[in-house]
Amino acid sequence: MKRVPKGFPSNFMWGGAVAANQLEGAYDLDGKGLCLADINEFQKDLPIEKRSNGEITRSYIEEALQSNDKNFPKRRGIDFYHTYPEDLKMLAELGLKTFRTSINWARIYPNGDDRQPNEKGLEFYDKLFDEIIKNGMEPMITISHYEMPLHLTTAYKGWYSRETIEFFVKYCKTVFDRYAGKVKYWIIVNQINLIGHESFNHLGVAEDTVDDLRSAKYQAVHHEMVACARATKYAHEKYPEMQIGMMLCGGPEYAASCKSEDVLATLKHNQMEYFFADVLLRGYYPGYAYRFFEDWNIKLTFEDSDEEDLKNTADFFSFSYYYTQICSKESYEKGNEAYRNKELPANPWGWTIDPIGLRILLNEFYDRYQKPIYITENGVGYYDEVENGEIHDSYRVDYLRAHIEQMKEAIRDGVDLRGYYAWGPIDIISCSSCEMSKRYGFIYVDYDDYGNGTGKRIKKDSYAWMKKVIASGGEDLA
């Protein structure tokens, strides 16, 4: 009889994850074009729990582009474009075995539909990936992480326009060819199921350019999945050593009660969160999706070749995990919505803290796909205070300890968990709210929400704790 694993495997990939648009800065250097994330801004006048980038209109984009505001574009980053050698050295000293970041699409193809890539952009990522490897870390690279060139929204309709498939596949081929000797692990699209929350960041569809936004989102993500499958086919045929992954934003959502109606509504809700992985890992649209489209009057158009393209499936499954929510018959009928679980504690932004939910989700996903799994984002945002040059973030240590304990339990359950990437191991600008003060990192970066500060890097207490965890192979969590 096979023995139950006692802990993390010796080759477990302990890592950290970031996104280009949240840390690089240098939005206008070396030929880079504007990307979707560049026009987002810190919404200081909104209540803290409502600071997120949802739908965006074409008129908002036009006003932003014509603005004389000295703070535009808003996505300043932490100047990683210039500081990456020093920052990567600090992360290597933490003990990270792997580092996940993204390529900013608009650095490579500034308009998205350019005939030739921007060589300066390609050269930057050559240097960045070389530096990651030099520091003993395995790169895991995301190809699309809210960095679609803005021109593809203003001249087309983002992913809603079928032309974007060819633009994106060309971009994927460019980076596969350029970095084949440096990058083995790829995630094509970050959190592909986020088409409600942050749908503009993801899909580039301005809400006032389509008649039926819900249908447009599913049409857009259909085009995106076809593009992912075509890119996967190219990678598999030309570079068989490459590992191609797909990524969800994880849940799970719990039923609000044991009433059958609530349980069924939660099943339907979760199915349509897992739908994207079902397509990209199984290679076809599941029956429940067609029922969902019929029930919600969602209209999709398929080309004759799409079903064949989608048979080119990913090699591994990855997901982010931050919080769980509640679903009921009523919330589902409002628009397939979910809401906060008041039984659980939360951070200041209302994101619940549910370590056991991570174990549940790991088991569900492995049962469903039987593919290697990587947790490619996990962490908690908090306000950090500097006290005499130090940051005492025991709350972050408590959060991480509890989640790592549940990862170990999931491995003992038989889950093939290969890696864990703490989100924002160095402080970066929040994706959802554009705040710098919503901090996740083991390393503090001295900038505020308006870009003021010295940029100085300071190791937090959690840095020393995580270094000990990694050195012990996940055994010493004290």
Side-chain angles (χ1 to χ4, degrees), residues 115-318:
R115 291 177 63 86
Q116 297 295 328
N118 172 31
E119 180 61 26
K120 287 287 188 182
L122 290 168
E123 288 173 0
F124 168 71
Y125 291 107
D126 268 322
K127 292 183 291 185
L128 175 60
F129 300 160
D130 285 344
E131 197 71 20
I132 293 170
I133 294 165
K134 187 178 85 173
N135 279 280
M137 295 182 283
E138 181 86 42
M140 178 179 278
I141 303 303
T142 311
I143 298 177
S144 179
H145 196 141
Y146 309 148
E147 291 128 1
M148 172 188 281
L150 190 61
H151 177 74
L152 294 184
T153 286
T154 56
Y156 304 88
K157 294 181 181 179
W159 276 111
Y160 183 67
S161 295
R162 194 171 176 93
E163 297 97 322
T164 303
I165 295 176
E166 295 302 327
F167 300 145
F168 186 70
V169 173
K170 179 181 178 180
Y171 162 50
C172 289
K173 290 179 178 179
T174 298
V175 298
F176 287 152
D177 291 345
R178 181 77 172 218
Y179 308 119
K182 301 179 182 183
V183 179
K184 177 181 178 181
Y185 296 94
W186 297 87
I187 294 172
I188 298 182
V189 174
N190 176 71
Q191 299 182 139
I192 196 169
N193 57 324
L194 280 186
I195 68 170
H197 178 60
E198 293 182 2
S199 65
F200 177 80
N201 268 356
H202 172 187
L203 298 171
V205 181
E207 64 175 327
D208 55 350
T209 61
V210 293
D211 296 328
D212 176 359
L213 185 58
R214 184 188 288 267
S215 290
K217 289 179 180 181
Y218 280 100
Q219 185 67 63
V221 84
H222 172 75
H223 292 156
E224 191 175 39
M225 291 193 292
V226 169
C228 287
R230 290 186 187 178
T232 299
K233 181 181 180 182
Y234 180 83
H236 283 165
E237 290 178 351
K238 195 165 183 183
Y239 306 107
E241 72 281 3
M242 282 185 181
Q243 292 289 297
I244 307 300
M246 69 78 49
M247 180 182 175
L248 292 184
C249 177
E253 317 303 0
Y254 302 133
S257 76
C258 56
K259 293 179 182 178
S260 300
E261 294 84 355
D262 287 340
V263 174
L264 179 60
T266 305
L267 170 66
K268 290 179 178 180
H269 175 90
N270 286 342
Q271 281 179 324
M272 287 311 296
E273 294 297 321
Y274 304 163
F275 154 69
F276 313 86
D278 284 356
V279 174
L280 292 174
L281 290 170
R282 293 173 170 172
Y284 58 89
Y285 270 58
Y288 67 76
Y290 291 113
R291 173 65 187 272
F292 177 85
F293 298 146
E294 180 180 304
D295 288 349
W296 292 88
N297 196 31
I298 293 169
K299 310 297 184 186
L300 295 184
T301 300
F302 285 59
E303 294 292 326
D304 292 341
S305 61
D306 290 356
E307 289 187 5
E308 191 64 28
D309 284 332
L310 290 172
K311 292 178 182 178
N312 296 285
T313 56
D315 301 304
F316 66 86
F317 174 78
S318 64

Side-chain angles (χ1 to χ4, degrees), residues 96-111:
L96 297 188
K97 312 299 183 186
T98 177
F99 183 69
R100 175 188 170 220
T101 188
S102 63
I103 297 172
N104 193 315
W105 184 354
R107 285 202 193 281
I108 309 304
Y109 287 99
N111 297 298

